[in-house]
Amino acid sequence: MNKVRRRSINNIKANIARLKKEITDVSSELSIVLDQEQDAFDNMPEGLQSSYRGMCSEDAIDLMEEAIDSLDDAIKSLGDIL
């Protein structure tokens, strides 16, 4: 492998490491919001939980959980590359 390709590979590795950290940070931030939304839902009166507002909250919780799972999969995949 020549010097130019080696430098390209090192740049790619650095970019992957940077992306992995950024995705990890985003996943952590989203987890905080998820916890807050879950707490808000859990503290709703039972009647409100089954209302439109409660269903929207549950949908948001489900979507955030899916997003976190996808981000975690991306982090794992990026780690496998390195």
Side-chain angles (χ1 to χ4, degrees):
M1 180 178 302
N2 68 21
K3 185 178 179 179
V4 173
R5 283 191 294 271
R6 193 174 304 115
R7 187 178 311 130
S8 292
I9 289 173
N10 286 334
N11 287 338
I12 291 168
K13 283 183 175 181
N15 286 335
I16 290 170
R18 181 185 50 77
L19 285 171
K20 186 178 173 187
K21 183 189 178 328
E22 288 180 21
I23 294 171
T24 300
D25 292 345
V26 169
S27 181
S28 296
E29 290 175 29
L30 187 55
S31 291
I32 291 168
V33 175
L34 170 62
D35 290 342
Q36 293 170 344
E37 186 64 26
Q38 185 67 57
D39 287 344
F41 178 80
D42 292 343
N43 290 323
M44 282 183 190
E46 204 169 296
L48 193 54
Q49 286 181 350
S50 59
S51 71
Y52 178 75
R53 183 175 178 205
M55 288 187 290
C56 288
S57 179
E58 280 186 303
D59 288 343
I61 290 167
D62 291 342
L63 290 171
M64 284 187 277
E65 287 174 341
E66 288 177 27
I68 290 169
D69 288 343
S70 295
L71 290 169
D72 290 344
D73 289 344
I75 291 165
K76 183 185 178 312
S77 294
L78 290 171
D80 291 345
I81 292 170
L82 295 175

